[in-house]
Amino acid sequence: MRILKVNENTVRIFISFSELSARNISLADFFQRSERTEQFFWEIIGKAREEVNFNLDQPFWIQATVASDDEFVITVIKQDEQIEAEINHIIQNNFNDKKSTPKVSVKTANSDWVYVFSDFEDVLNCLSLIPDVPQLSSALYKYEQEYFLSLGKMTSSRKRKIMEAILDEYGEAILLSDIFLKEHGETIISENAISKLKKIVEDKTVI
């Protein structure tokens, strides 16, 4: 395990696949945030605190990327206060009495991002809160009775973080590719899924 402190808000932790195997943790287990993997995560954060003085004392985001055939890298980023204020504003205005707690968000840094939802109503409720991003590609799939929203790359990290916060309220980010969903799942909406689903929500509201 190697730890690199990029700045006061960001640290990169390089972990070999053999280290995961020694703990009986698969890469899939890690991205699903099981109890065992969460314990491992906080253990490595403890090492980061000891070795490079990185204190995780505020909400944060995680980006996970396969670095080579032998290891992957976890980038931990403390959440910017201004973005946090915007996120809280969105949540408070739309969830009324529901109290929001900071969530760990697992995303791949250099590929599309995919969210899984337990039912279609959760998808609609979530997307009703997401702002329009015309240039963002999106598709909706169904696989094993769950719904998967695939989103393309975004040029604005600010908008992406706000969208992630809303998506995390209803769904869960997973490490899954568009290719897998196309081959093994059912394609519900192949393109412009967000705008089409938001239209469904609007029509329901009018009714």
Side-chain angles (χ1 to χ4, degrees), residues 31-71:
F31 286 110
Q32 289 174 3
R33 302 201 307 273
S34 66
E35 182 178 348
R36 186 168 65 252
T37 55
E38 285 192 11
Q39 182 179 352
F40 178 52
F41 172 77
W42 288 111
E43 180 182 325
I44 61 180
I45 289 299
K47 287 183 178 294
R49 182 173 57 250
E50 294 174 3
E51 295 183 17
V52 296
N53 194 31
F54 183 78
N55 295 308
L56 200 56
D57 52 3
Q58 63 191 73
F60 59 93
W61 302 93
I62 299 174
Q63 292 178 326
T65 311
V66 175
S68 69
D69 292 337
D70 301 319
E71 66 179 2

Side-chain angles (χ1 to χ4, degrees), residues 4-40:
L4 172 66
K5 186 175 184 180
V6 179
N7 53 47
E8 289 303 314
N9 293 321
T10 306
V11 68
R12 290 197 178 105
I13 304 167
F14 297 82
I15 305 171
S16 68
F17 292 114
S18 60
E19 286 178 284
L20 287 185
S21 178
R23 295 171 177 269
N24 195 29
I25 298 175
S26 69
L27 188 59
D29 288 337
F30 190 89
F31 286 110
Q32 289 174 3
R33 302 201 307 273
S34 66
E35 182 178 348
R36 186 168 65 252
T37 55
E38 285 192 11
Q39 182 179 352
F40 178 52

Side-chain angles (χ1 to χ4, degrees), residues 137-195:
S137 62
S138 57
L140 183 69
Y141 305 90
K142 187 176 182 180
Y143 175 68
E144 293 188 347
Q145 306 307 311
E146 293 183 309
Y147 293 87
F148 296 79
L149 180 67
S150 172
L151 303 166
K153 299 176 185 177
M154 288 187 67
T155 56
S156 171
S157 60
R158 180 190 187 86
K159 287 183 179 179
R160 173 165 176 149
K161 288 180 178 179
I162 292 174
M163 285 184 65
E164 286 173 352
I166 298 172
L167 287 161
D168 283 338
E169 287 294 322
Y170 288 96
E172 181 179 3
I174 60 170
L175 190 67
L176 200 63
S177 69
D178 238 10
I179 296 174
F180 176 88
L181 291 169
K182 288 176 182 177
E183 291 181 352
H184 301 280
E186 174 188 355
T187 300
I188 306 298
I189 303 176
S190 60
E191 58 183 18
N192 299 324
I194 291 181
S195 60

